[in-house]
Every structure is written in structure tokens, then in C-alpha cells.
Amino acid sequence: MQFHVLSHLEYTVKFPSNLILNIHAQRNSGQTILEENFTVSPNVKTEEFLLDNGTNRLIRLQTGDEKKLVIDYAATVECAFDVIPAGEMDIATIGDLDPAAIPFLFPSRYCQSDRLGRLAWDLFGKIPKPYDKVNAIVDWIHNSVEYVRGSTDSATSAYDTITQRTGVCRDFAHLGIALCRALNIPSRYVSAYAYQLDPPDFHAVFECHLGGRWIVFDATRLAPLNGLVRIGVSRDASDAAVASIFGQVQGTAMKVDCQLVPGQTFTPLERKHLLRRGISLESNHAAATD
Amino acid sequence: MQFHVLSHLEYTVKFPSNLILNIHAQRNSGQTILEENFTVSPNVKTEEFLLDNGTNRLIRLQTGDEKKLVIDYAATVECAFDVIPAGEMDIATIGDLDPAAIPFLFPSRYCQSDRLGRLAWDLFGKIPKPYDKVNAIVDWIHNSVEYVRGSTDSATSAYDTITQRTGVCRDFAHLGIALCRALNIPSRYVSAYAYQLDPPDFHAVFECHLGGRWIVFDATRLAPLNGLVRIGVSRDASDAAVASIFGQVQGTAMKVDCQLVPGQTFTPLERKHLLRRGISLESNHAAATD
Amino acid sequence: MQFHVLSHLEYTVKFPSNLILNIHAQRNSGQTILEENFTVSPNVKTEEFLLDNGTNRLIRLQTGDEKKLVIDYAATVECAFDVIPAGEMDIATIGDLDPAAIPFLFPSRYCQSDRLGRLAWDLFGKIPKPYDKVNAIVDWIHNSVEYVRGSTDSATSAYDTITQRTGVCRDFAHLGIALCRALNIPSRYVSAYAYQLDPPDFHAVFECHLGGRWIVFDATRLAPLNGLVRIGVSRDASDAAVASIFGQVQGTAMKVDCQLVPGQTFTPLERKHLLRRGISLESNHAAATD
Amino acid sequence: MQFHVLSHLEYTVKFPSNLILNIHAQRNSGQTILEENFTVSPNVKTEEFLLDNGTNRLIRLQTGDEKKLVIDYAATVECAFDVIPAGEMDIATIGDLDPAAIPFLFPSRYCQSDRLGRLAWDLFGKIPKPYDKVNAIVDWIHNSVEYVRGSTDSATSAYDTITQRTGVCRDFAHLGIALCRALNIPSRYVSAYAYQLDPPDFHAVFECHLGGRWIVFDATRLAPLNGLVRIGVSRDASDAAVASIFGQVQGTAMKVDCQLVPGQTFTPLERKHLLRRGISLESNHAAATD
């Protein structure tokens, strides 16, 4: 499948400042950038750099003096995914785990898995299969936490959400990650453009390392799992912000969109269609699945 | 200088479990392993792997069935350091910063720099030079926080320590890191063997990225800055634990030591000797400084 | 029934200090002090005073200079209780509620009912009868929280326990209170001597205002509800400490006991015997029930 | 002095609910109600009751079915105050303290004095005179915390404000109370109408028990200390809310005012005029001071 994605950001700069933007679609085995355009108006100094072994594409931008800044990103992205049967999603023991997944076992700013251990084991510890464990977590979050726009802020973490039980996509993802890590399942945060997300916005989901693959989950159930165009993967939102601001800059407008390229077909795959199958957005055979 | 370092760990295994150990001295530009020995008794399956671009050397260990486990690590390490004049420790703007330092600007599990911004700017924001800012932070922590063994636990974070004002080396480091990041100074956690630390133990300090170099700081003032043999660098203690336990394993004994190799000379460099100079443990000219 | 209760406390005084002790059995409609003895050795200045409209009996004590202090309290207490049928334990609307119960609707230091609202309503909101609601809360706490000596400290509150799921009697009581208040059920903390508590110690339970009576609940299930000799009732442990210390005093030993007076009979009434009946320790007809 | 005070509250009731209002001016030794009017439109069932030994006047109100509710309170209040010289504001030892002040030594929902002890002693412990201690606290809060409307919410407590350093009058009062209690100075929360507060609103200040009197302090410095018409005194905002809502009621409008009665004269007394003198709003000789 091919998607057109775009984001449009406006800022008021009060003082020479720096921004780090994370809005570019990833390049990876499941995601090919067919066409891409990034503009800043007026023109200021920008530079792209990669983090996390090349996974995440970031832009740093020096605003210069007081001004209005308009940032536009648009891309056409070819996306593939693999559907994985339940039987192939066992969790590796720590001894067999891909070392690159190990950092995603540890607690992070918004995912205090170290403080959720007993609760996680009580609720989900007896479920034998790891994929079923994660699905039970996702279902439990979906049923226990209410999606309420504006109910949380940038200080809200999984330790709050487990009790306060409201939040937005970021909070749903953080709670999922924290509960999985508490059960020794490597888990990471994914920011994405999301097809059929309504209203359109940046979306956040999470991935668990099961059977050697990163399998994607979304406790909000607000968008199909196979309609995600990944932007950043990280420990949690602390290092996947759309814009990290260093200085005096005020966001004034934002527009995000994700559309299917005309002529392409799309069959949504959500939790209810997948049952005990999983989706990996890092396709091993990109050509075969689009 | 050359140091003998050793650590001796004993565990009671109740059930087949996994351990990830972080006790090996780093190999880097300032640190050369001359000799090294690692044994586990009885012999169980272990494997070394590298994380963080090869910086950190970790061991994963599969305990097998119920047993007593004794782990011994000993190494002779050649250490070098550079003394950096204040004038060479300016902070880069985000636009010029080494991308590898950027992740160390963001909050992490134990260093909630996002919640300390106003306090950090109030106390230290007006100090013009970045190196002086960090030294002011280090002095303030030293004077405001009392070193009290057992006063904190593995859940304690910088957000607690800023108010509760007691802690151990780990807490001192976390608070330093959080305050520096709140001022946009990249800052990271360092676990180390420490010469002249009394009683001997694993130590924790922090490093700030100033003038393109990682400069080491220690708000506890419990050991000379040039007597550190680095084990791990990381965002905070969440991914630099001596031992991460997955399963049912109980630590029962621990011994740590760091001695100067006989015949070597050592001139301690601490905060009071350095004044406005800094120390980087990633020496650019290892041969010249030992 | 008649109980012998005693407490023995030892302190090391380092400096002239003050103590406020809350170890005296209450005098109220269900509890008559038949005999009582309170000694401090060596003799220092003490004074009894009443708080909370005479309910709680406190001792303030001026230690004078450096010394060892031994405090002994012993009493024989006649206790009565009423067994209340489920049908008589409806909750009053706020409009009909005894004003004296109203302060027990609000959050307090260790019972942050304001932050548990959504969780409480999700878990228990649909249970129609208030008494059944409280019993469901008590059962849920009993099944979800593990009693682990030493797992919590004086900073632990219901907001922690709801997630960390370990604690001691004080934590069980705080969580019960917080959940009840979140559902608009007035709820208060009760410290007590407890018959058949093993090992003997000060105990903590909670009471809810149902049908115009304070009904007692104990999520730990560690002692019969009709074997409690009440010491203090309060919003939470913050104003019901056994000893509040103002100065430099160290507790060095403590012994507590509660025994049935020889010749008295006792039929334990616990959750499992009561089913949908409740117990009020403020008996309306003391003579009839002992 | 005489003040006209008024408050006007509008609510949308969705469902039969209960409100507890705390908007009536107190009757006490320093405050005489000359005239008072309270109306609810449309007429619903209301009842006044007293709490805290008659100090606080509360209204409970049963809304009945869905409706718009308009509440108006207006009063003319004669206020007196005493100016107390520094020498008369020593703190009593616990042994001599009025028992009624003792509950205000303990931590409460928003004033976690138990967690601020070390910080409070570090910053203020060496100041010998209690009145000077409190003034140092008030000045420190004034200089360290920024008054930012909307920066905090109903979950914000002193433990947050000590670090986050923004807040409104309620947060300033909570922090003052917590720091005073940490130093064993009894301290309580006061809600009030405030003359010359701009914009007009309900105000919050705090009182400390010094020399046997409750002395008033205001770290916001937004209104003269002798222009306060007290509504409620309590441990903290948890039991002094303007309106506690039990059910489904939405506040839609609020207007508050406090004006000097024409013909009366008023000489503002603020921190800067008082220097080392204090003000008690519980005047011992009301006639002499107005």
C-alpha cells in the first residue's frame, strides 16, 4: 500500500532558538519513501540526522531571530507488513534475546515498569503465551482507560494512568509498554501517521518483541494496525517528541494527514480481525505484502 | 595509571533465571584492559554482548536450576584522562551538538528534567558559562543533599531527591543529570570502580557534554575524579544496573575493590584541585597522560 | 467481653523533646475502661488531653534531658458491639448525612480519594447497595494486595498501594478509606488493640458511615472484627500515630498485647461469618451484647 | 472596618445531586456579620451546618432534577484585627501548646510536611525566632514560586509546588503550611474574601499558631492582610472547597467581590508595613481595632 502523509506546523519564534523535529517517515524494511518534500519558510538553517542506529530521522533547525516559522513535510510512502501467526510469537528468554531489544526491557521516564511489577503479574502473569499476554493487556487498557482529549499533559506517565484511567494515545501506549516490560516483554514506543485516524493527528502505538519480530499493538483501537506510517521508535515519548524546543518558541498551528494513494486498495486489519495473529511493520518481504 | 579492579557477587538461585551483569570495565580511548578474568562458579551459560554502540560490555547469564552462584570479575586497567581548561568547555548549541549527545538532553526514568526546569533556571540559569553552571549544580547538591546510606531505594528519582535531600551516589548523580538536562546541557550516568572510595563499592557519577567532550562530575566528592574506572554509561541507573535479574535470584554477598597497581603513582584530582578545569575520562592521547 | 490490653514502649532520648502518644483505649458507648494504668519511667511531665470532640485520648510528654524512657500502658476494657443487618446499612444522601461524618468524605494525606474516582467507579460503581460496595472493596483489596511486612514506609499512601499492591494493615486501611470516599461513602481510620492478631501489634482497620452507624471493616482479615479495642479514630494515620515525636527521640523496643480476660467467652466474628451483616463498635446497648 | 462581600455562583445540574458550599463569612471574635443574604434560585432544599467546633459555616444543598442553579451570597461584615509585636509571637513547646492547635502539626492531603522536613530545616532551621522563621518562609515562597494562573490543578500539592515553582494562591498557602508544619509550627489553611485583590476572586492564605494566637500570612502578597474576611479555616483545601460536588453538576459562572463599606477608612497592612509585627484576625478586642 502507498500512503500520502503530511504535516504542517506553525511556530512563533521569540528569540533565536533550536528545534528538533521528528516528523519524517522512517526508512526501513517495511517502509520505502517514494517521494518526500520538507520545507521551512522562511528558509532557516536545518540539518537531518539519524539516531538509534539510523532508525529515526530527525531535523534540527536553528530559528534565527524573532519570526513566524512554517514547516511542511509531505511524503509518499510504500508500506508493507507481515501477518504473523500466534505460534511464531513466543518470547525469547533473556539468554536468546536479540541484544538490540534488551534496552526495551528497562523502565523509562513515562513507563515505570519497575513499579508495576506486582500488578502486572497479578493481572496477566498466569496467561501462558506471551502474545496472549500482550493482547490481554491491550484489551484491559482499552476497557479500563477512557480516551479523553485534554485529560493529561506532558508530565503524565504510566504510573498515573494505571490509576487515573484517562488519557490519549500517548498515555495508552505508555501504559501498554510499562505493563509489558514489567512482564519481561521488550516493548517500545512508536509514533506514526495513521490512516483512518479521526480526527487526523500524530498517533502513538507500541511494539513488543515477540518471536524475534517487533509486533505492533494499539490499545486505543482508533486506527487499523496496517495503516500506520512509522515516524519514530523509542523508549517512550520523552525521545520521540514531534518537536523538542530549546529556547522561546510557541506552537501556533498543526495539521496532520494520512491518505491512501488513489488507486490503492486497503483492507483494514484491527484487533478484531487479527484474533491471535500479529502484525509486524518491519516486513521481511516488502514486495509480497503491499 | 593502572588499577586492579575486582568484583565478587554471590547469588542464590531458586528457579531457572536470567541475569544481565554490567561489571566489566569499558574499553575506550581512555581505558585499556591489560588483563581480565571473569568466572562463574559453578559453570553456567554466559555470553558477553555490547550495547550503546559498543560502549557498554554486558554479560547475560542463564542460571539453570536451583543453586548458589559465585561470580568473580578481576581486571587490570590502564586509565588515562585529559585535564580540560575552562575556556574549552563551552556548550554547543543544539545546531552544532554531536548527534550522539542529543539523547542525553531528554528526561529519563530517574532524571525527570522536564519537571525541574523552572527550579533549575531559577537557581542556575543566570550563570553565564556552562562549565560554571555545572559546577554550581555540583556544589549545590553537595551542600544540600546529605549522603545517608539506606535512605533511598530503587524507586527513588531526582524528583524525590530534590525535595527529600538524602541519598547515595546514585541519587546524587541522578539529581545532577536532571538539573543539567533541564538547562539543555547533555548529561549521562556513569557507573564505575572508584579508587580511594571508602568503603569500597560500585560508584556512580555523571558526565556532561561540554566543548565536544564528556566531562566527569561527582557531587558526592567521595573519590578523586581521575581514579575512576568506567563500567557503563547510560541515561540513568535504569539501564546501568550492576545486575538485572529476570526470575528468582537473591543477591547474598557483594565485594568490590579498586587498587592502584604497585609501583604506579597517583595524584588525586578532585573538585578543590581542579577549580575551573575539567576532567575527561575519554582521553585523546592516552599515552601522554597516565 | 472484657479484654486486657497493654503496650510497652522504650525510647532513647538524645535531647529535651516532646512526644504525643496515642495508646489509650477510647471511652465511648461501646467501650468502658474498667481499670487502667499508665506509667512513664523515669517520671517526666505528662498530660492527657482529648481531641476530636473527646473521642481520642492523647498524652503529651516532655522528655527532659538525655535518658532512656520506658512507657507502660495497661487496661481492662469492657467492649460491646452491635451486629447490623444489611438492610439497615444504607448510605445517607449528603443532604441527610450526620454533619459529623462530612469531614470523612474528603481526601487526606494518605487517602487521595480525589485521584481514585474513576477507578473506584469502574470497579465498584455499579454495585447498588452501599454495604455491598464496601464489602466488594474489602474483598478486592484482600485479593489484590499482599500483606508484606516492611514493604512500605511512613510515606506510602493509597495512591501508591493501589498500584504497588503490597503493604501492612495501615496501607490496607488507607486504600479502603480512599476507595470508599471516592464513592462518596464517609470513611475513617481506626487504630486498635486486636485480639487474636498474630503476632500481637497495634492494628489498623477502617470504618464507614452506613445507615447512621460507623461499621468496621478490615481488608487484612487478620483479626476478628469483634475483638478490637479502639484507640483512635481519625482521617488517616497522619493524625493517629502511636507516637508523634518532636525532637530527638529513638524508639528502641515495643511490645503490644490484647488478651481475653479469663472466664470471658469470645465467638470470633469475621467477614466469613458476617456475610451481609455489619459490626458497629459503637454499641447502642452495651449491656446487652457483651 | 466594614466590608461588603458577595459571591455569585451558577451551576448546570444534570441529575439530582448534592452540593456542600463554603462561602459564608465566619462568625468569630474578630468578625461580626451585620447583615447577610443567601439565595438559591430556583428554590431548592438547603441547610446550614457548622463544622470544626462551629468555626466553619457550610451549606448543603439538594439540587433536585436537571436545572440551572443560581446561588447568591452577600454580607456586610464588621472585621477587627490585632497587631502583635514580634516579642509576643514565640512558639509554644508541644507541652504547652493549646490542644486545639495540635491537629495542625500533622501532614494533610496537600501539605505533605512529613516529606519536606530536611529541606525545611536546611533552609529555615537555623533562624531562631519562630515568627522570623515563618516570615523567611513567606519571603522565600514569594521569591521562588511564580504566580501563574492555570498552571496547577486540584491534584497539585505542596510536594509538587516546592519543585515546579508555579501556582496560584491555594498552592502558595499549601507550601507555606507544609514548610511550617515541617518545622513543628502549627499551621492552617484559610479561605477568604479579600479586599483589593485584583482581579476579585476567592483568596487563600494561611495562619500559624504563634504565642497562643493564629497569625495570618500570605506568600502571594496580592492583598492586604487586614482586608481579609474569613470564610473557612481547615487543614488544607481538601476540606475548604468553595463547592464540593456530589453528583453531576457543572460550574458555569462565578463572581466574587469584596468592597469597603462607604464611609469606612482602610489603611492597608502588608508584609512591608508590618516588618516584624504580625496580624491576628481573631481580635481579642474587636471594638478597639476597627
Side-chain angles (χ1 to χ4, degrees):
Chain A
M1 299 145 318
Q2 294 175 7
F3 295 101
H4 283 313
V5 301
L6 72 82
S7 52
H8 169 91
L9 308 170
E10 297 183 19
Y11 292 99
T12 299
V13 176
K14 293 174 187 162
F15 202 79
S17 301
N18 288 276
L19 289 178
I20 295 179
L21 300 173
N22 192 10
I23 57 177
H24 280 58
Q26 288 189 359
R27 288 194 177 93
N28 59 41
S29 69
Q31 220 167 266
T32 308
I33 312 286
L34 302 178
E35 204 187 325
E36 190 178 62
N37 196 43
F38 175 72
T39 60
V40 182
S41 157
N43 197 25
V44 298
K45 190 179 167 192
T46 61
E47 180 195 4
E48 183 175 336
F49 65 99
L50 303 177
L51 277 186
D52 301 295
N53 301 319
T55 320
N56 295 326
R57 301 169 63 203
L58 295 103
I59 298 287
R60 51 180 157 189
L61 181 156
Q62 300 184 33
T63 64
D65 287 333
E66 209 175 328
K67 59 169 64 75
K68 290 228 157 229
L69 211 54
V70 178
I71 293 161
D72 278 288
Y73 173 75
T76 307
V77 187
E78 167 88 45
C79 290
F81 61 90
D82 293 351
V83 176
I84 321 276
E88 294 178 16
M89 290 186 291
D90 280 342
I91 187 174
T93 64
I94 303 301
D96 297 323
L97 191 61
D98 179 357
I102 284 177
F104 299 101
L105 286 166
F106 299 126
S108 58
R109 168 67 182 92
Y110 297 111
C111 305
Q112 302 96 330
S113 45
D114 55 310
R115 305 188 75 182
L116 300 182
R118 208 173 269 265
L119 184 152
W121 283 97
D122 277 3
L123 292 180
F124 310 108
K126 289 194 185 112
I127 301 169
K129 295 280 182 189
Y131 177 69
D132 296 330
K133 247 177 204 158
V134 182
N135 263 344
I137 288 172
V138 164
D139 292 348
W140 183 85
I141 295 174
H142 184 77
N143 294 327
S144 306
V145 181
E146 191 174 349
Y147 193 100
V148 180
R149 224 167 288 274
S151 62
T152 54
D153 61 28
S154 69
T156 306
S157 68
Y159 192 72
D160 302 310
T161 306
I162 191 78
T163 297
Q164 297 178 4
R165 304 204 163 183
T166 59
V168 295
C169 58
R170 156 195 166 108
D171 305 300
F172 281 64
H174 284 156
L175 184 51
I177 293 166
L179 290 169
C180 287
R181 290 185 192 161
L183 298 168
N184 296 339
I185 301 171
S187 189
R188 68 187 188 185
Y189 185 86
V190 178
S191 61
Y193 296 96
Y195 181 49
Q196 295 182 341
L197 182 66
D198 182 25
D201 201 346
F202 290 108
H203 197 38
V205 299
F206 71 105
E207 292 182 340
C208 290
H209 200 260
L210 298 171
R213 306 286 299 268
W214 287 103
I215 310 297
V216 66
F217 297 91
D218 180 358
T220 70
R221 295 192 197 159
L222 290 176
L225 291 166
N226 59 335
L228 298 168
V229 179
R230 296 196 301 172
I231 299 169
V233 299
S234 60
R235 299 193 187 192
D236 63 26
S238 67
D239 42 10
V242 166
S244 302
I245 294 171
F246 303 87
Q248 297 221 352
V249 175
Q250 192 80 42
T252 52
M254 187 172 86
K255 192 174 166 252
V256 180
D257 201 22
C258 180
Q259 294 299 336
L260 199 63
V261 169
Q264 297 275 316
T265 58
F266 178 78
T267 311
L269 288 175
E270 304 184 26
R271 172 89 178 83
K272 62 188 169 197
H273 311 111
L274 287 162
L275 306 173
R276 298 186 67 250
R277 292 171 304 157
I279 280 189
S280 171
L281 300 175
E282 294 179 345
S283 175
N284 283 339
H285 34 89
T289 55
D290 64 342
Chain B
M1 297 145 320
Q2 294 174 8
F3 296 101
H4 283 315
V5 301
L6 72 81
S7 51
H8 169 91
L9 308 170
E10 296 183 19
Y11 293 97
T12 300
V13 176
K14 293 172 186 163
F15 202 79
S17 301
N18 289 276
L19 288 177
I20 295 180
L21 301 172
N22 191 10
I23 58 177
H24 280 59
Q26 288 191 356
R27 287 194 178 94
N28 59 42
S29 68
Q31 219 167 268
T32 308
I33 312 286
L34 302 178
E35 206 186 323
E36 190 178 60
N37 196 42
F38 175 72
T39 60
V40 182
S41 157
N43 196 25
V44 298
K45 192 181 165 192
T46 62
E47 179 196 4
E48 182 175 336
F49 65 99
L50 303 177
L51 277 186
D52 301 296
N53 301 318
T55 320
N56 296 326
R57 301 170 64 203
L58 296 103
I59 298 286
R60 52 180 156 186
L61 183 156
Q62 300 184 32
T63 64
D65 284 335
E66 211 176 327
K67 60 169 62 76
K68 290 226 157 231
L69 212 54
V70 179
I71 294 162
D72 277 288
Y73 173 76
T76 307
V77 187
E78 167 88 47
C79 290
F81 62 90
D82 293 350
V83 176
I84 320 276
E88 294 178 18
M89 290 185 292
D90 280 342
I91 187 175
T93 64
I94 303 300
D96 297 323
L97 190 61
D98 178 357
I102 284 177
F104 298 101
L105 286 166
F106 299 126
S108 58
R109 170 67 183 90
Y110 297 111
C111 306
Q112 303 94 331
S113 45
D114 55 310
R115 304 188 75 181
L116 300 182
R118 206 174 271 263
L119 184 153
W121 283 98
D122 277 2
L123 292 180
F124 309 108
K126 290 196 183 111
I127 301 169
K129 294 280 181 189
Y131 177 70
D132 296 331
K133 245 177 207 159
V134 182
N135 263 342
I137 287 171
V138 165
D139 291 349
W140 183 87
I141 295 174
H142 184 78
N143 294 327
S144 306
V145 181
E146 193 174 349
Y147 193 99
V148 180
R149 224 168 288 275
S151 61
T152 54
D153 61 28
S154 69
T156 307
S157 67
Y159 192 73
D160 302 309
T161 307
I162 191 77
T163 296
Q164 298 178 4
R165 303 203 164 185
T166 60
V168 295
C169 58
R170 157 195 165 107
D171 305 300
F172 280 66
H174 284 156
L175 184 50
I177 293 166
L179 290 170
C180 287
R181 289 185 193 160
L183 299 168
N184 296 339
I185 300 172
S187 188
R188 69 187 188 184
Y189 186 86
V190 177
S191 61
Y193 296 96
Y195 181 50
Q196 295 182 341
L197 182 66
D198 184 25
D201 201 346
F202 290 107
H203 197 37
V205 298
F206 71 105
E207 293 182 338
C208 291
H209 200 261
L210 298 171
R213 308 285 297 268
W214 287 103
I215 310 298
V216 65
F217 296 91
D218 181 357
T220 70
R221 295 191 197 161
L222 290 176
L225 291 167
N226 59 335
L228 298 168
V229 179
R230 296 196 301 172
I231 298 168
V233 299
S234 60
R235 301 195 186 190
D236 63 27
S238 67
D239 42 10
V242 166
S244 302
I245 294 171
F246 303 86
Q248 296 221 352
V249 176
Q250 192 80 42
T252 53
M254 187 173 85
K255 191 173 167 253
V256 179
D257 201 22
C258 180
Q259 294 298 337
L260 199 63
V261 168
Q264 296 275 316
T265 58
F266 178 77
T267 311
L269 289 175
E270 304 184 25
R271 171 87 179 86
K272 63 187 168 198
H273 312 112
L274 287 163
L275 305 174
R276 298 186 68 250
R277 292 171 304 158
I279 279 189
S280 172
L281 299 175
E282 293 179 346
S283 174
N284 284 339
H285 35 88
T289 54
D290 63 344
Chain C
M1 295 146 320
Q2 295 175 9
F3 296 101
H4 283 315
V5 301
L6 72 81
S7 52
H8 169 89
L9 307 170
E10 298 183 17
Y11 292 98
T12 300
V13 174
K14 295 174 184 159
F15 201 80
S17 301
N18 288 277
L19 289 178
I20 295 180
L21 299 172
N22 192 11
I23 59 177
H24 279 59
Q26 288 190 0
R27 287 195 178 92
N28 58 43
S29 68
Q31 218 168 266
T32 307
I33 312 284
L34 302 178
E35 202 186 327
E36 189 179 60
N37 196 43
F38 175 72
T39 61
V40 182
S41 157
N43 197 24
V44 298
K45 190 179 168 193
T46 61
E47 180 195 4
E48 183 175 336
F49 65 99
L50 303 176
L51 277 186
D52 302 296
N53 302 318
T55 320
N56 295 326
R57 301 169 62 203
L58 295 102
I59 298 286
R60 51 180 158 187
L61 183 156
Q62 301 183 33
T63 64
D65 285 335
E66 211 174 329
K67 61 171 61 76
K68 290 227 157 229
L69 211 54
V70 178
I71 294 161
D72 278 288
Y73 173 75
T76 307
V77 188
E78 167 88 46
C79 290
F81 61 91
D82 292 352
V83 176
I84 321 276
E88 294 177 19
M89 291 186 289
D90 280 341
I91 186 173
T93 64
I94 303 300
D96 297 323
L97 191 62
D98 178 357
I102 284 178
F104 299 100
L105 286 166
F106 300 125
S108 58
R109 169 67 182 91
Y110 296 111
C111 306
Q112 302 96 330
S113 46
D114 55 310
R115 303 189 73 181
L116 300 182
R118 205 173 271 264
L119 185 152
W121 283 98
D122 276 3
L123 292 180
F124 310 108
K126 291 197 183 109
I127 300 168
K129 294 281 183 190
Y131 177 68
D132 296 330
K133 246 177 206 159
V134 182
N135 264 343
I137 288 172
V138 164
D139 292 348
W140 184 85
I141 295 174
H142 184 79
N143 294 327
S144 306
V145 181
E146 192 175 349
Y147 192 99
V148 181
R149 226 168 285 277
S151 62
T152 54
D153 61 28
S154 68
T156 306
S157 67
Y159 192 72
D160 301 310
T161 306
I162 191 77
T163 296
Q164 297 178 4
R165 305 202 163 185
T166 60
V168 296
C169 58
R170 156 194 165 108
D171 305 300
F172 280 64
H174 284 156
L175 183 51
I177 293 166
L179 290 170
C180 287
R181 290 185 193 161
L183 298 169
N184 296 338
I185 300 171
S187 188
R188 68 187 189 184
Y189 186 87
V190 177
S191 61
Y193 296 96
Y195 181 50
Q196 296 182 339
L197 182 66
D198 183 25
D201 201 346
F202 291 108
H203 197 36
V205 299
F206 71 104
E207 291 181 340
C208 291
H209 201 261
L210 299 171
R213 308 285 299 267
W214 286 103
I215 309 298
V216 66
F217 297 91
D218 181 358
T220 72
R221 296 193 197 159
L222 291 176
L225 291 166
N226 59 335
L228 298 169
V229 179
R230 294 196 303 171
I231 300 169
V233 299
S234 60
R235 301 195 186 190
D236 62 28
S238 66
D239 42 10
V242 166
S244 302
I245 295 172
F246 303 85
Q248 297 221 351
V249 175
Q250 191 81 41
T252 53
M254 186 172 87
K255 193 173 166 254
V256 179
D257 202 22
C258 179
Q259 294 298 338
L260 200 63
V261 168
Q264 296 277 314
T265 57
F266 178 78
T267 311
L269 289 176
E270 305 185 26
R271 172 87 179 85
K272 62 188 168 197
H273 312 111
L274 287 162
L275 305 175
R276 297 186 68 250
R277 294 171 303 158
I279 279 189
S280 172
L281 299 175
E282 294 178 346
S283 174
N284 283 340
H285 34 89
T289 56
D290 63 344
Chain D
M1 296 146 321
Q2 295 175 7
F3 295 101
H4 283 315
V5 300
L6 73 82
S7 52
H8 169 89
L9 307 170
E10 297 183 17
Y11 292 98
T12 300
V13 175
K14 294 174 187 161
F15 203 78
S17 300
N18 288 276
L19 289 178
I20 295 180
L21 299 173
N22 192 10
I23 58 177
H24 280 59
Q26 288 190 359
R27 288 196 177 91
N28 58 42
S29 68
Q31 218 168 266
T32 308
I33 312 284
L34 303 179
E35 203 186 327
E36 190 178 60
N37 196 43
F38 174 73
T39 60
V40 182
S41 156
N43 198 25
V44 298
K45 190 180 167 192
T46 63
E47 179 196 5
E48 182 174 337
F49 65 100
L50 302 176
L51 278 186
D52 301 296
N53 303 317
T55 320
N56 295 326
R57 303 169 62 205
L58 295 102
I59 298 286
R60 50 180 158 186
L61 183 156
Q62 299 183 34
T63 63
D65 285 335
E66 210 176 329
K67 61 170 62 76
K68 290 227 157 231
L69 212 55
V70 178
I71 294 161
D72 278 286
Y73 173 74
T76 306
V77 188
E78 168 87 48
C79 290
F81 62 90
D82 292 352
V83 175
I84 321 277
E88 294 177 19
M89 290 185 290
D90 279 342
I91 186 173
T93 64
I94 302 301
D96 297 324
L97 191 61
D98 178 357
I102 284 177
F104 299 100
L105 286 166
F106 298 126
S108 58
R109 168 68 182 91
Y110 297 111
C111 306
Q112 302 96 329
S113 47
D114 55 310
R115 304 189 76 182
L116 299 182
R118 207 172 270 266
L119 185 152
W121 283 97
D122 277 2
L123 292 180
F124 310 108
K126 292 196 183 109
I127 301 169
K129 295 279 183 191
Y131 177 69
D132 296 330
K133 246 177 207 159
V134 182
N135 263 342
I137 288 171
V138 164
D139 292 348
W140 183 85
I141 295 174
H142 184 80
N143 294 327
S144 305
V145 181
E146 192 175 348
Y147 192 99
V148 180
R149 224 168 286 276
S151 61
T152 54
D153 61 28
S154 68
T156 306
S157 68
Y159 192 73
D160 301 309
T161 307
I162 191 77
T163 297
Q164 297 179 5
R165 304 205 162 183
T166 59
V168 296
C169 58
R170 156 196 166 108
D171 305 300
F172 281 65
H174 284 155
L175 184 50
I177 293 165
L179 290 169
C180 287
R181 290 185 193 160
L183 298 168
N184 296 338
I185 301 171
S187 188
R188 68 186 188 184
Y189 185 87
V190 177
S191 61
Y193 295 95
Y195 181 50
Q196 295 182 341
L197 181 66
D198 182 27
D201 202 345
F202 291 108
H203 197 37
V205 299
F206 70 104
E207 292 182 338
C208 290
H209 201 261
L210 298 171
R213 308 285 297 267
W214 287 103
I215 310 297
V216 66
F217 296 92
D218 181 357
T220 70
R221 296 192 196 159
L222 290 177
L225 291 165
N226 60 335
L228 298 168
V229 179
R230 295 196 303 172
I231 298 168
V233 300
S234 60
R235 302 195 185 189
D236 62 28
S238 66
D239 42 10
V242 167
S244 302
I245 294 172
F246 303 87
Q248 296 221 351
V249 175
Q250 192 80 41
T252 51
M254 186 173 86
K255 191 174 168 251
V256 179
D257 202 22
C258 180
Q259 294 298 338
L260 200 63
V261 167
Q264 297 276 315
T265 57
F266 179 77
T267 310
L269 288 175
E270 305 184 26
R271 172 88 180 83
K272 63 188 168 197
H273 311 112
L274 288 162
L275 305 173
R276 298 187 67 251
R277 293 172 302 158
I279 279 189
S280 172
L281 299 175
E282 293 179 348
S283 174
N284 284 339
H285 34 89
T289 54
D290 62 344

